[in-house]
Amino acid sequence: QQQVKQSPQSLIVQKGGISIINCAYENTAFDYFPWYQQFPGKGPALLIAIRPDVSEKKEGRFTISFNKSAKQFSLHIMDSQPGDSATYFCAASKGGGFKTIFGAGTRLFVKA
Amino acid sequence: EAEVAQSPRYKITEKSQAVAFWCDPISGHATLYWYRQILGQGPELLVQFQDESVVDDSQLPKDRFSAERLKGVDSTLKIQPAELGDSAMYLCASSSGQPGHYEQYFGPGTRLTVT
């Protein structure tokens, strides 16, 4: 019940295309859903996050779509660029300082 | 821009030896986390501090791992003795600990190789 399942494991997208990464969770007590971006040899960096009281959040080219009833959320990267090539992790927590559970990651490669 | 500092960045050690990692969180951040990230996987929480107190160490292998944050600022994670399976990236993160502010900021990590 503590797992966060992420798919796909890897993704290749053409420059200018849309990258979509999906996550599913089981624990309905989770109330904070961040996405992190990690480049090789670096620590993860917070990209965007959403709370379950909204269905969508957009920041620049990055959008989170959230479906509370299905217990799923996804990251959409519009106009994908080669510089977006990285590993992306979804995560979930109960907030308030409780443990954050990370997905297994999606390795994104954007072809120029 | 304030950052989480970690040292060393890389560490190679032989099995059965002791190793220690250091983390300095963003100034003023009350919550500090240590994660282990195995290559190709997501980070897994080892221990979480609120100020100087441990609030979650359920996944910390306490027979060989220890962590401390004596003055509620910087923190040290120790492994003794190291085993081959400990080879991984060890990440430190911090957050403000303020209500409604759950953002975690990660350091660059320490890449540990046990031979």
Side-chain angles (χ1 to χ4, degrees):
Chain A
Q1 199 180 20
Q2 285 288 83
Q3 280 190 320
V4 176
K5 296 183 179 179
Q6 184 172 347
S7 63
Q9 199 171 14
S10 61
L11 182 61
I12 300 174
V13 174
Q14 287 289 136
K15 178 182 175 181
I18 302 174
S19 303
I20 302 174
I21 305 170
N22 301 299
C23 282
Y25 64 97
E26 298 173 351
N27 189 344
T28 55
F30 288 145
D31 65 355
Y32 177 68
F33 302 89
W35 284 89
Y36 288 85
Q37 179 189 58
Q38 185 175 30
F39 292 104
K42 305 287 187 181
L46 180 65
L47 198 58
I48 186 173
I50 197 168
R51 306 282 175 91
D53 52 343
V54 296
S55 60
E56 186 175 283
K57 183 175 181 180
K58 183 176 181 179
E59 289 185 2
R61 296 185 295 110
F62 301 92
T63 299
I64 300 179
S65 296
F66 187 83
N67 186 328
K68 188 174 182 178
S69 61
K71 293 187 286 186
Q72 295 175 348
F73 58 109
S74 60
L75 176 70
H76 292 63
I77 306 174
M78 313 301 286
D79 187 26
S80 299
Q81 299 297 312
D84 297 331
S85 297
T87 299
Y88 293 81
F89 294 96
C90 63
S93 74
K94 287 196 288 184
F98 291 96
K99 180 187 291 187
T100 299
I101 307 297
F102 284 81
T106 296
R107 183 174 288 186
L108 171 66
F109 179 69
V110 181
K111 295 172 64 175
Chain B
E1 182 177 292
E3 295 181 342
V4 175
Q6 288 188 250
S7 67
R9 292 293 312 279
Y10 305 92
K11 180 70 178 178
I12 300 174
T13 191
E14 294 182 347
K15 64 180 181 180
S16 79
Q17 296 299 302
V19 291
F21 313 128
W22 177 79
C23 172
D24 191 13
I26 293 172
S27 178
H29 277 194
T31 309
L32 185 147
Y33 312 80
W34 282 103
Y35 288 90
R36 176 170 58 188
Q37 185 177 25
I38 295 170
L39 195 62
Q41 298 183 20
E44 179 187 22
L45 182 70
L46 291 174
V47 61
Q48 178 179 336
F49 290 92
Q50 182 67 26
D51 298 311
E52 65 275 9
S53 300
V54 173
V55 297
D56 189 339
D57 64 356
S58 57
Q59 299 303 309
L60 188 71
K62 298 180 188 64
D63 57 334
R64 298 185 300 108
F65 286 64
S66 64
E68 61 182 16
R69 193 183 184 200
L70 293 176
K71 296 183 179 179
V73 182
D74 60 339
S75 175
T76 301
L77 178 70
K78 297 179 181 177
I79 307 175
Q80 183 174 18
E83 296 181 353
L84 294 177
D86 296 332
S87 294
M89 174 79 87
Y90 290 83
L91 294 162
C92 179
S94 70
S95 64
S96 68
Q98 297 300 312
H101 292 272
Y102 308 147
E103 301 85 358
Q104 293 185 32
Y105 298 90
F106 283 82
T110 296
R111 169 72 65 188
L112 173 66
T113 302
V114 182
T115 62

